[in-house]
Amino acid sequence: MDASPDAPVLVSHDGAVRTLTLNRPKSLNSFTGAMHEALLAALESAADDRSVRCVVLTGAGRGFCAGQDLADPAVAPAQAGGSVDVGNAIERYYKPLALRLRSLPVPVVAAVNGVAAGAGANIALGCDLVVAARSASFIQAFSKIGLVPDAGGTWLLPRLVGRARALGLAMLGDKLPAEEAERIGLIWKCVDDAAFADEVRATAARLASLPTRALAATRAAIDASQHLDFGASLSHEAKVQRALGGAHDFAEGVAAFMAKRPAVFSDR
Ligand code: T3D
């Protein structure tokens, strides 16, 4: 992994929290193939490292991520003589990334420090908790360039905010301030810029102290419920509880409750 300060993704550690910083600030951290490859490798490394109990995804400079790098010759129609296979970029890069974020064995916090546009917005929205600075914003920029929301946008938006708002955001492509994103339930929390770093740190540390395996199973069960009826969801919950009930963290959580002491969770 490229550990230089110019690497497309910077990796840092704070206890059990691993922070991945998109690092192309001059173009608001827009995605290139190299950035995709570095990010996926960093996620795999976090997944394989059992000391990691939470991942934070954020951006360097004033933006979080402006989506696809539109100047990239591989995807810019003008540079490719008028036509490019945009679907190829989705299959090759955005789909594996969105799926990996959704299947990571640890919780993922999107720390949205500035504008999140296009696929950059939807990659953030696919994370488990989205914490945004008050000066940040979310833009479904796709309609302005003749595309549909991708990186999971068509799936995520109606589930997060309902069809009416999903269509309004996607068709008009307006800038949605972080405060409004919180108000309509698109994100978990909007915090003042001055409090943003501390809030992200505290949220990530708290997630890292919780029973990691149960958190990952919670995400998976909530996602599975999207295509199950109520009875099937109850059965799925029973199956997951059966597995978690035999794990160390359940015994520890109950023992800690009974002894009126803080629990120390260690499963992953
Ligand atoms: O392969 C495929 O194409 C399929 C995948 C598609 C996925 C997608 O994400 S499609 C959507 C792509 N993203 C966009 O359309 C957003 C484009 N950017 C913007 O609309 C604006 O930059 C923002 C609203 C995000 C921010 O505006 P503002 O005024 O704060 O900043 P700016 O001046 O526009 O941008 C600052 C610099 O970043 C500027 O470069 P310069 O002039 O200083 O040299 C700008 O060109 C550059 N930049 C911003 N976004 C991108 C970008 N460069 C390349 N690609 C970008 N997406």
Side-chain angles (χ1 to χ4, degrees):
M1 205 174 294
D2 184 353
S4 75
D6 296 330
V9 175
L10 304 177
V11 179
S12 62
H13 317 265
D14 182 6
V17 176
R18 181 154 305 176
T19 297
L20 310 180
T21 304
L22 306 176
N23 187 37
R24 300 186 65 242
K26 284 185 188 149
S27 65
L28 302 178
N29 306 314
S30 56
F31 274 107
T32 57
M35 196 166 92
H36 271 292
E37 279 156 23
L39 181 55
L40 211 51
L43 289 172
E44 288 309 334
S45 162
D48 290 346
D49 185 339
R50 296 181 69 80
S51 71
V52 174
R53 297 175 64 84
C54 180
V55 165
V56 174
L57 180 63
T58 193
R62 74 175 174 90
F64 173 76
C65 174
Q68 175 61 40
D69 183 336
L70 298 173
D72 185 340
V75 297
Q79 278 143 310
S83 169
V84 284
D85 184 350
V86 177
N88 199 35
I90 307 299
E91 291 289 354
R92 181 165 175 198
Y93 292 124
Y94 290 99
K95 184 176 170 187
L97 172 58
L99 287 174
R100 198 62 187 108
L101 283 167
R102 209 78 180 177
S103 64
L104 224 61
V106 301
V108 187
V109 177
V112 181
N113 52 302
V115 65
N122 294 334
I123 289 299
L125 297 179
C127 294
D128 297 322
L129 296 188
V130 185
V131 178
R134 199 167 298 280
S135 61
S137 56
F138 297 81
I139 310 177
Q140 294 296 320
F142 306 90
S143 63
K144 291 183 183 146
I145 56 169
L147 296 177
V148 298
D150 61 23
T154 59
W155 192 92
L156 291 164
L157 289 170
R159 285 168 171 79
L160 290 168
V161 294
R163 183 176 187 272
R165 282 182 168 131
L167 284 172
L169 292 170
M171 287 186 168
L172 298 173
D174 289 336
K175 182 184 277 200
L176 185 74
E179 195 169 335
E180 183 67 359
E182 183 197 72
R183 194 188 68 76
I184 66 173
L186 187 72
I187 65 168
W188 169 240
K189 200 178 257 192
C190 161
V191 290
D192 289 339
D193 288 21
F196 177 67
D198 283 347
E199 180 71 28
V200 169
R201 213 173 292 119
T203 303
R206 202 170 143 211
L207 286 168
S209 75
L210 290 167
T212 308
R213 195 184 295 175
L215 299 188
T218 298
R219 175 213 295 137
I222 285 179
D223 285 352
S225 77
Q226 304 292 332
H227 56 82
L228 297 177
D229 65 24
F230 188 52
S233 277
L234 288 165
S235 300
H236 186 70
E237 288 168 4
K239 188 174 135 200
V240 178
Q241 297 297 50
R242 188 164 294 123
L244 292 174
H248 166 270
D249 279 352
F250 176 57
E252 165 63 8
V254 174
F257 174 78
M258 298 307 287
K260 300 189 188 301
R261 63 166 172 80
V264 181
F265 296 113
S266 57
D267 284 343
R268 239 211 65 178

